Amino acid sequence: MTRVVAGIPVGVRQSGSLRPAARRVCGGAGADGLFIEPPKRSRMETVTVARDVSASPERVRDAISDVESFMLAAGFDEVDVEGDALRIVNHVGLFEIELDLVVEDRADAALAYHQRDGIFREMETVYTVEETADGTHVEATTEYALAAKIVGPVFDGTVVKRQRRKELNAQFDFLDAL
């Protein structure tokens, strides 16, 4: 028997023993006979794009910090920035994708944000900037896990990876033009 307590599936002893799956998950039960099944981890996909641009790191950071212009450079159809909240809308094939994002203040990144609401179970993007002898090395990494309800033959991880590479390359083209 499984019940839910505070949003967590909880199993109870059946005939004095744990169900076989429960023994594998937690190795036993507490004195109260309850065990908690840990949440399943999302399988994360990664897209990374890097490029050397001739502009100085300061110019690149300034261009990236103009978040609205930088996101529009990716080719998104709509970009709304309000404080640390970022909303983007994009049409990809038959789909309209809308993401509510939160911009993070991170010392190790020129820009970092994660999804608050949208099509992903989880999503985070981090842009780093490093000075080189000839300008700046820029790298962007997006890690994401698709929500099960949207995965299918028409929209899958391959489509997301291809689209994300296209968006990141468009942003780096924007930085190349500085």
Side-chain angles (χ1 to χ4, degrees), residues 1-2 9-14 17-29 33-38:
M1 177 174 120
T2 300
V10 176
V12 296
R13 290 185 185 266
Q14 295 178 348
S17 66
L18 289 172
R19 294 176 300 168
R23 283 193 297 272
R24 285 192 304 273
V25 170
C26 65
L34 298 178
F35 66 90
I36 298 175
E37 296 174 10

Side-chain angles (χ1 to χ4, degrees), residues 61-122:
R61 281 190 192 91
D62 286 346
I64 292 173
S65 68
D66 180 357
V67 176
E68 184 173 3
S69 296
F70 190 59
M71 291 298 161
L72 286 169
F76 298 126
D77 297 315
E78 293 178 41
V79 175
D80 297 309
V81 178
E82 199 170 305
D84 66 349
L86 173 61
R87 182 180 153 273
I88 59 172
V89 177
N90 202 24
H91 294 90
V92 179
L94 303 171
F95 297 94
E96 178 180 85
I97 298 172
E98 183 175 327
L99 300 176
D100 290 323
L101 308 168
V102 177
V103 176
E104 302 172 13
D105 184 19
R106 291 180 42 173
D108 65 333
L111 176 64
Y113 53 84
H114 69 270
Q115 176 190 272
R116 177 180 18 217
D117 189 34
I119 65 166
F120 300 100
R121 185 175 303 130
E122 301 175 58

Side-chain angles (χ1 to χ4, degrees), residues 3-178:
R3 61 187 169 118
V4 176
V5 176
I8 302 170
V10 176
V12 296
R13 290 185 185 266
Q14 295 178 348
S15 304
S17 66
L18 289 172
R19 294 176 300 168
R23 283 193 297 272
R24 285 192 304 273
V25 170
C26 65
D32 60 3
L34 298 178
F35 66 90
I36 298 175
E37 296 174 10
K40 293 181 175 35
R41 295 250 339 148
S42 301
R43 184 171 159 258
M44 299 294 280
E45 300 283 344
T46 303
V47 175
T48 300
V49 174
R51 188 180 301 178
D52 291 329
V53 298
S54 60
S56 70
E58 293 77 23
R59 286 195 66 197
V60 170
R61 281 190 192 91
D62 286 346
I64 292 173
S65 68
D66 180 357
V67 176
E68 184 173 3
S69 296
F70 190 59
M71 291 298 161
L72 286 169
F76 298 126
D77 297 315
E78 293 178 41
V79 175
D80 297 309
V81 178
E82 199 170 305
D84 66 349
L86 173 61
R87 182 180 153 273
I88 59 172
V89 177
N90 202 24
H91 294 90
V92 179
L94 303 171
F95 297 94
E96 178 180 85
I97 298 172
E98 183 175 327
L99 300 176
D100 290 323
L101 308 168
V102 177
V103 176
E104 302 172 13
D105 184 19
R106 291 180 42 173
D108 65 333
L111 176 64
Y113 53 84
H114 69 270
Q115 176 190 272
R116 177 180 18 217
D117 189 34
I119 65 166
F120 300 100
R121 185 175 303 130
E122 301 175 58
M123 190 280 290
E124 176 184 64
T125 298
V126 177
Y127 297 82
T128 58
V129 172
E130 293 180 27
E131 186 170 12
T132 65
D134 297 324
T136 305
H137 179 78
V138 185
E139 185 170 298
T141 299
T142 298
E143 292 185 316
Y144 65 92
L146 287 171
K149 65 183 176 190
I150 67 159
V151 178
V154 177
F155 191 80
D156 63 9
T158 305
V159 172
V160 173
K161 282 185 177 188
R162 183 177 36 232
Q163 180 65 27
R164 191 62 184 138
R165 280 190 192 100
K166 178 181 169 187
E167 294 161 357
L168 294 172
N169 278 311
Q171 287 178 315
F172 289 178
D173 290 346
F174 172 78
L175 296 176
D176 260 340
L178 295 177

